Amino acid sequence: MARAHQRTGVLNISGNGDQIQIAIAFTARHKVGTKADLLGRALGKQRSKKRLFVVDATAGLCRDSLHLLALGCEVIALERNSKLYEVFSQLPPPSSFTLVHADAVEWLNQRAKGEERKPDIVYLDPMFPEKKKSAAVSKESRALQLLEYPPTLDEEGALLKAAKQAAQDRVIVKRPKHAPWLAGAKPNHEFVGKAVRYDVYVTMRAEPITPAK
């Protein structure tokens, strides 16, 4: 018997003296214009004539996946945490979105070697360690810190390598504005906003999507 889908879910997390409850839903975003959108510019979407196939390899609470959908992309989101996956898998997915329970490095390596369709772009937003506890840290960020852990330098390197091997055009890495490059690897392009930065690593295995100026 098929499982009935709920429209909203609840994520309950406790640990380190913290008890957090977050309402979960695939809330549709309005279509985003690419010219003024920093992520849209990093995607090269402004000059791309095709619908981009993007793998969000670090799905988390799927906020970035929804942003990518609003930019007109087709998205596969990977989530390794069983608790996060279980909550989201009970919700009706948006159009052009697929959620997969998988380790990102393993999935990307298999996709790179296999015959299945390769993504145009692999998007990464790995957890970055907080320097100190702050009241300004959002409830969602605190929840993710209890469920996930920041990758080691070796894990960063393995993730970036797998993403580069799978992506046909580019890898995009979201970082705090002043954070170091992922795995210490210098990107080809940087798109810098007020609080975040998108580092772009070009793979050029397909017709290149030229970055917007």
Side-chain angles (χ1 to χ4, degrees):
M1 183 176 179
R3 179 174 54 187
H5 283 293
Q6 308 171 64
R7 292 197 173 275
T8 60
V10 177
L11 183 64
N12 291 294
I13 306 165
S14 60
N16 298 333
D18 218 348
Q19 292 187 340
I20 304 171
Q21 185 177 85
I22 299 174
I24 298 294
F26 284 121
T27 305
R29 294 181 53 152
H30 294 295
K31 187 175 181 181
V32 178
T34 58
K35 187 174 182 180
D37 187 89
L38 195 64
L39 177 55
R41 291 167 56 201
L43 289 167
K45 194 73 174 63
Q46 194 176 0
R47 297 186 182 182
S48 173
K49 295 180 180 179
K50 66 175 183 176
R51 186 177 199 180
L52 298 177
F53 171 30
V54 182
V55 171
D56 178 359
T58 50
L61 296 173
C62 294
R63 302 294 188 249
D64 292 326
S65 289
L66 292 173
H67 190 173
L68 291 163
L69 287 171
L71 285 164
C73 301
E74 176 187 350
V75 179
I76 288 181
L78 310 179
E79 179 51 54
R80 69 181 178 184
N81 183 276
S82 298
K83 191 164 189 174
L84 279 172
Y85 175 78
E86 178 63 24
V87 173
F88 276 103
S89 66
Q90 295 180 45
L91 307 179
S95 176
S96 301
F97 175 84
T98 304
L99 180 65
V100 178
H101 187 204
D103 175 82
V105 173
E106 292 179 3
W107 192 95
L108 291 168
N109 283 335
Q110 290 175 0
R111 183 57 65 108
K113 296 174 183 176
E115 299 298 324
E116 293 181 278
R117 180 185 174 200
K118 307 295 189 293
D120 299 304
I121 295 168
V122 175
Y123 177 87
L124 305 175
D125 181 16
M127 182 175 290
F128 189 76
E130 297 289 337
K131 291 184 178 180
K132 58 182 179 179
K133 284 191 174 182
S134 169
V137 176
S138 70
K139 181 167 68 171
E140 291 183 355
S141 294
R142 295 194 338 260
L144 288 176
Q145 288 167 13
L146 292 173
L147 290 172
E148 305 277 7
Y149 56 86
T152 65
L153 189 61
D154 286 344
E155 289 170 336
E156 287 186 351
L159 179 60
L160 184 58
K161 180 180 178 181
K164 286 181 175 180
Q165 290 175 338
Q168 291 295 289
D169 186 84
R170 65 186 61 186
V171 175
I172 298 175
V173 182
K174 181 181 179 181
R175 303 293 273 171
K177 182 177 180 179
H178 300 295
W181 297 320
L182 187 68
K186 183 178 180 179
N188 299 97
H189 308 285
E190 294 180 328
F191 294 83
V192 184
K194 292 182 179 180
V196 302
R197 185 184 79 237
Y198 294 105
D199 295 339
V200 176
Y201 300 84
V202 179
T203 60
M204 303 291 282
R205 277 187 284 276
E207 182 181 350
I209 305 166
T210 308
K213 300 294 185 182

